[in-house]
């Protein structure tokens, strides 16, 4: 019988599964762990730097007047940008009203009804659209909406933003619907539900958290866009009088006032930057909360 005594093992074998602390594999593992941790910390540095600088520069100007008053003339202290906040909400709302229904329905078609070849082409086109520079969306909206309506407006700005929001909503909704278990679909069909009833009453409700996540992420991106609004909504020093008039927005206000030589306008630009960051942070928190809800 072959002996299994300890004499048949190498002298360094300890009888366990642990490796020596000085072995090359262990040292390599520790080094790569430190490198990965360092890269994670470095990835946070730009975010922390931007947030801290914007907070330091903008918090001193924060007041209630910023939300209720109009931008002041140069060299005049005080004032606010309530019109820009309202205009941003209006144009992002218009973009959401256009892009969310279209994006969700397009994703439903991709996941539930399309053929393999057609769905691949549509997904490819969506990926291409997500990479199109925002200024191109502004030029396109200018040629389609501004030229036809004869003027800059919130509708044109919302249309440009919807182009940027659409691919995010389609991709997130498409992925969310694919994650819904086929058992739910089969159970609904087994109970006598039609295909439309299965999608509307079973699949979509199960994917709502992920759909909300995609919508909020698209809203966060649209709220900070500047180039499309320069071509479509332009800017206004006054309160919005209608959706077919030039409309102020926070992003364009920051662009205009930051390059101004007047200190009071520059301080308003920093305050508007802080408000814009807080709006994006709020939408990101909503997206995080929606993501934390598991698809059932």
């Amino acid at each position: 019988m072959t002996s299994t005594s300890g004499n048949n093992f190498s002298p360094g074998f300890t009888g366990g599964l642990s490796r020596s602390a000085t072995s090359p594999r262990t040292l390599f593992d520790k080094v790569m762990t430190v490198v990965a941790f360092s890269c994670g910390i470095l990835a946070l540095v730009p975010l922390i730097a931007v947030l801290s600088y914007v907070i330091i520069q903008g918090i001193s100007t924060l007041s209630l007047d910023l939300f209720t008053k109009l931008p002041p003339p140069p060299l005049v202290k005080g004032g606010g940008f309530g019109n820009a906040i309202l205009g941003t909400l209006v144009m992002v709302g218009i973009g959401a009203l256009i892009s969310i229904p279209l994006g969700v329905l397009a994703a439903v078609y991709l996941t539930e009804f399309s053929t393999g070849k057609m769905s691949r082409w549509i997904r490819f086109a969506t990926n291409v659209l997500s990479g199109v520079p925002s200024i191109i969306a502004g030029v396109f909206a200018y040629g389609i909406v501004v030229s036809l309506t004869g003027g800059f407006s919130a509708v044109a700005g919302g249309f440009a933003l919807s182009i940027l929001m659409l691919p995010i909503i389609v991709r997130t909704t498409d992925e969310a619907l694919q994650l819904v278990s086929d058992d739910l679909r089969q159970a609904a069909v087994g109970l006598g539900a039609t295909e439309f009833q299965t999608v509307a009453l079973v699949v979509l409700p199960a994917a709502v958290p992920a759909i909300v996540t995609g919508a909020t992420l698209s809203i966060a991106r649209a709220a900070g866009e500047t180039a499309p609004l320069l071509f479509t909504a332009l800017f206004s020093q006054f309160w919005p009088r209608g959706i077919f008039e030039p409309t102020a927005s926070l992003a364009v206000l920051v662009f205009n006032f930051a390059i101004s030589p007047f200190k009071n306008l520059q301080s308003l630009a920093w305050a508007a930057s802080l408000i814009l960051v807080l709006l994006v942070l709020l939408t990101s928190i909503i997206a995080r909360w929606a993501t934390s809800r598991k698809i059932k």
Side-chain angles (χ1 to χ4, degrees):
M1 181 181 293
T2 303
S3 174
T4 58
S5 62
N7 294 331
N8 293 334
F9 297 94
S10 60
F13 183 74
T14 60
L17 297 178
S18 61
R19 295 194 298 265
S20 172
T22 58
S23 68
R25 294 179 62 183
T26 302
L27 292 176
F28 179 78
D29 181 71
K30 291 182 178 180
V31 169
M32 293 308 299
T33 300
V34 172
V35 170
F37 177 78
S38 302
C39 291
I41 296 298
L42 289 175
L44 294 176
V45 170
L47 174 63
I48 296 174
V50 170
L51 288 178
S52 59
Y53 193 73
V54 170
I55 291 173
I56 292 172
Q57 295 291 334
I59 197 169
S60 59
T61 315
L62 285 181
S63 66
L64 185 60
D65 291 342
L66 296 178
F67 302 91
T68 59
K69 293 186 178 181
L70 296 173
L75 301 178
V76 176
K77 293 185 178 181
F81 41 77
N83 61 332
I85 296 176
L86 181 59
T88 299
L89 295 177
V90 169
M91 286 186 285
V92 171
I94 293 174
L97 288 176
I98 296 173
S99 61
I100 291 177
L102 288 178
V104 172
L105 291 176
V108 168
Y109 172 76
L110 285 175
T111 308
E112 306 295 332
F113 302 105
S114 68
T115 60
K117 187 174 182 180
M118 178 63 70
S119 62
R120 286 196 298 269
W121 278 108
I122 295 176
R123 290 188 176 99
F124 174 75
T126 302
N127 292 333
V128 172
L129 183 59
S130 64
V132 171
S134 59
I135 193 171
I136 303 300
V139 173
F140 174 75
Y142 177 86
I144 297 296
V145 181
V146 177
S147 298
L148 293 179
T149 58
F152 302 97
S153 64
V155 171
F159 178 77
L161 295 180
S162 69
I163 298 174
L164 303 175
M165 298 167 66
L166 185 60
I168 300 176
I169 297 172
V170 172
R171 293 173 65 181
T172 54
T173 305
D174 182 23
E175 294 174 359
L177 294 177
Q178 292 182 42
L179 292 176
V180 177
S181 175
D182 287 335
D183 293 339
L184 292 177
R185 296 179 175 86
Q186 295 171 3
V189 173
L191 292 173
T194 64
E195 192 170 8
F196 175 79
Q197 290 174 329
T198 301
V199 173
L201 302 179
V202 177
V203 178
L204 279 177
V208 162
I211 295 174
V212 173
T213 300
T216 52
L217 290 176
S218 66
I219 290 173
R221 180 192 176 182
E225 289 293 341
T226 305
L229 301 182
L230 289 173
F231 285 91
T232 53
L234 203 58
F235 192 72
S236 174
Q237 295 287 119
F238 308 102
W239 293 102
R241 294 178 295 180
I243 60 175
F244 293 99
E245 299 288 337
T247 306
S249 62
L250 284 173
V252 176
L253 182 140
V254 171
F255 173 78
N256 291 336
F257 286 8
I259 61 177
S260 171
F262 305 104
K263 293 295 184 182
N264 66 317
L265 299 185
Q266 292 177 3
S267 63
L268 285 178
W270 283 114
S273 301
L274 179 57
I275 297 299
L276 192 56
V277 168
L278 292 178
L279 288 176
V280 173
L281 179 62
L282 178 61
T283 55
S284 299
I285 291 174
I286 295 174
R288 182 80 178 188
W289 172 80
T291 305
S292 64
R293 299 181 59 191
K294 297 180 179 180
I295 299 178
K296 298 180 180 181

